[in-house]
Amino acid sequence: MKILNKIYSKINVAFMAVLAIVSATLTSCEDDDKNQLNDFLVTGGFVRFAGQNPPGAVGVNAIDELAYSFSVEDANNTAAMYDLRLYADLGGVRTDTVQVEQVTSFPASFSFNAEDLASLLGVTVADIGFGDNFFFTATVTTTDGTVYGGADRLNGVQVFPQPDGTFLDEDDDPVTLGPNDVVYTTADGSSFLVSGQGSTDDLLDEAGYRQAFEFSFVILCPSVDFSALPGTYDVTNLGFAGFFGETDFVREVVAGPGANQITIIGGEWPSAGSRDLVLDINPTTGAVSLGEVAIAFDAAFGAFATDNWGSATGFVFTCTGNIVLVMDFDTFSGNAHPFELSKQ
């Protein structure tokens, strides 16, 4: 296992430079992406879920009760092989990526319990806990030999944006982008090289496509204990902290102001003038959403002034003392970033 915390030490670059890079990329690729997506959904290697998408969160009373299943189908009747792989974040430590199965006949069904997942990853069930995340990644090879896929994570490959618009790999070596390659940023702020024919953000982000290339689930706590939420928390992951000069990595969390709400005092970047962050908590699942609009930056940050948080997603894990959030802004949507806290 290895901890991949390198991403935020790498992204110590000007926020506006990143925005300019993203904007230029989206502008130049927009038409191509639309054409690729159209061809992909008609003739490409497109394996999707048969029926509903599998859940993104699974609640159990005990880890050994864990069960996760789904079925996939060959939407265009062009798939020769569906190569499914798996990695996980267990207790904050990312595992290596392992092969689950290579499927050559469709439809195909998959079913996993805790022992199955542990065996695949080379760990024991005791190594799996509440709040752990499991990530599936797949490629499809068509009958003519063309390979389609989502984010290229099969060998743990990850790319790191640089101020000049280039990318480095984990060894600080330059990454050469092919004419059909796109850099895809996940909800947690990590960047991966998107390869294949016509794999686009449109496909990966839209639930309606039922794509079976990139999907994941988290293990929920058995219940939400609201009395355990208030307290002092260490900030363990904070996107753009270096750029905004954030040095205070402790936050106070209080109950309210409303029912099923908590408030993170000072929000994400107190040094940048962010206001208190009020969050709604689903009392059944612990899922988080934005409780009320609050400012993310003060006027000292020029173009960032008066920008608000546009969304907050994630979960509270009262059984482990963790709050795991993905935040985004109104104006600068598309720059999703993590805000994670652990209770002292």
Side-chain angles (χ1 to χ4, degrees), residues 14-336:
F15 191 33
M16 288 304 293
V18 174
L19 293 175
I21 294 167
V22 172
S23 177
T25 300
L26 291 177
T27 300
S28 63
C29 295
E30 183 177 1
D31 291 339
D32 289 341
D33 283 350
K34 289 179 180 178
N35 291 335
Q36 289 174 353
L37 182 60
N38 181 61
D39 294 341
F40 183 47
L41 293 177
V42 175
T43 61
F46 182 31
V47 170
R48 67 186 179 190
F49 295 115
Q52 294 184 339
N53 292 354
V58 177
V60 293
N61 291 316
I63 298 300
D64 59 11
E65 297 176 0
L66 180 64
Y68 189 76
S69 61
F70 54 89
S71 296
V72 298
E73 60 186 9
D74 177 10
N76 297 334
N77 294 317
T78 59
M81 183 178 68
Y82 175 68
D83 187 350
L84 182 64
R85 305 197 178 199
L86 168 72
Y87 64 97
D89 288 344
L90 306 180
V93 178
R94 180 154 294 181
T95 70
D96 291 328
T97 302
V98 298
Q99 188 173 72
V100 176
E101 189 175 349
Q102 291 183 328
V103 173
T104 58
S105 179
F106 302 91
S109 296
F110 298 85
S111 182
F112 308 94
N113 58 29
E115 186 63 43
D116 295 329
L117 294 168
S119 178
L120 284 167
L121 295 169
V123 299
T124 68
V125 173
D127 295 315
I128 300 174
F130 297 108
D132 285 345
N133 290 269
F134 294 82
F135 304 91
F136 292 90
T137 182
T139 59
V140 175
T141 303
T142 61
T143 52
D144 65 3
T146 304
V147 178
Y148 294 78
D152 182 10
R153 304 176 187 176
L154 300 186
N155 296 307
V157 175
Q158 189 173 16
V159 295
F160 303 93
Q162 303 302 301
D164 61 358
T166 62
F167 297 88
L168 300 179
D169 62 18
E170 290 181 322
D171 297 322
D172 292 331
D173 295 324
V175 174
T176 300
L177 300 183
N180 295 318
D181 290 342
V182 177
V183 172
Y184 175 69
T185 301
T186 63
D188 66 1
S190 303
S191 296
F192 296 90
L193 181 63
V194 177
S195 302
Q197 306 294 317
S199 297
T200 68
D201 291 0
D202 300 303
L203 174 70
L204 295 174
D205 291 342
E206 293 295 332
Y209 290 126
R210 307 203 314 268
Q211 60 85 18
F213 290 91
E214 299 288 331
F215 55 103
S216 62
F217 74 92
V218 63
I219 305 176
L220 301 177
C221 289
S223 62
V224 180
D225 181 1
F226 279 89
S227 68
L229 283 169
T232 301
Y233 288 74
D234 292 317
V235 178
T236 57
N237 201 355
L238 178 58
F240 309 118
F243 176 75
F244 291 120
E246 196 56 59
T247 58
D248 181 7
F249 281 84
V250 175
R251 298 287 187 278
E252 291 297 323
V253 175
V254 299
N260 299 331
Q261 288 187 326
I262 60 171
T263 299
I264 300 178
I265 304 299
E268 288 193 88
W269 304 289
S271 64
S274 62
R275 296 178 186 169
D276 295 348
L277 182 59
V278 178
L279 302 172
D280 287 329
I281 311 298
N282 184 306
T284 302
T285 65
V288 172
S289 57
L290 198 62
E292 64 181 43
V293 175
I295 194 169
F297 319 97
D298 68 8
F301 282 83
F304 303 116
T306 70
D307 195 31
N308 299 321
W309 283 290
S311 65
T313 57
F315 292 92
V316 295
F317 298 95
T318 55
C319 61
T320 63
N322 294 306
I323 300 174
V324 180
L325 307 174
V326 174
M327 304 296 301
D328 210 339
F329 315 123
D330 277 341
T331 302
F332 303 112
S333 61
N335 288 278

